[in-house]
Amino acid sequence: MKNFAIVILSRRRLQYASATIFKKETILCVAESEKNDYLELDREIITHPDEITGIGPLRQSVLDNFKQEVIIMVDDDIEYLFDNENSERIYDPEKIMEILINTSNCA
């Protein structure tokens, strides 16, 4: 199995990050000034400088600072994964994690 990380990017959206289907197997990436707000979620948190704004620069910062072979970045409001082959939504976090792990092994 490849070394991978699932990173949830969140900015001023604590209410979405707290409701995400992913829990402890993910890393929250938030602005330095917002870290204390997210501590209540009891998850691993990494911060980025407040000066990094916009999704492009934020994604680049994650790529520059994570050393894993595979980095999966997801939005903080993800509720399901869509299965194109069967045209259905997958809500089960364990099933989604299994799909992500299998996908990372193929990358």
Side-chain angles (χ1 to χ4, degrees):
M1 180 158 72
K2 290 187 178 178
N3 183 11
F4 75 100
I6 300 174
V7 182
I8 298 176
L9 309 173
S10 189
R11 181 121 192 184
R12 294 187 292 269
R13 291 167 50 106
L14 175 62
Q15 72 277 18
Y16 293 107
S18 63
T20 186
I21 61 171
F22 297 117
K23 300 299 177 197
K24 296 197 181 279
E25 59 270 329
T26 59
I27 301 167
L28 282 169
C29 180
V30 302
E32 289 171 349
S33 64
E34 296 178 46
K35 181 178 181 178
N36 288 338
D37 296 336
Y38 285 81
L39 290 175
E40 69 185 55
L41 300 181
D42 191 32
R43 291 193 223 158
E44 183 177 351
I45 297 173
I46 60 135
T47 61
H48 61 81
D50 290 333
E51 298 77 38
I52 297 178
T53 59
I55 195 67
L58 180 54
R59 288 185 187 279
Q60 188 61 53
S61 174
V62 168
L63 292 173
D64 292 343
N65 290 291
F66 277 77
K67 304 304 179 211
Q68 286 83 350
E69 279 184 277
V70 177
I71 301 167
I72 301 169
M73 291 183 245
V74 297
D75 291 338
D76 57 7
D77 60 353
I78 188 170
E79 296 177 16
Y80 60 85
L81 186 70
F82 190 77
D83 178 350
N84 285 326
E85 186 174 322
N86 297 311
S87 297
E88 65 183 17
R89 294 177 179 180
I90 301 170
Y91 291 94
D92 179 9
E94 290 181 17
K95 178 72 173 168
I96 293 171
M97 187 58 64
E98 180 182 313
I99 291 168
L100 293 177
I101 290 170
N102 289 337
T103 302
S104 74
N105 286 326
C106 293

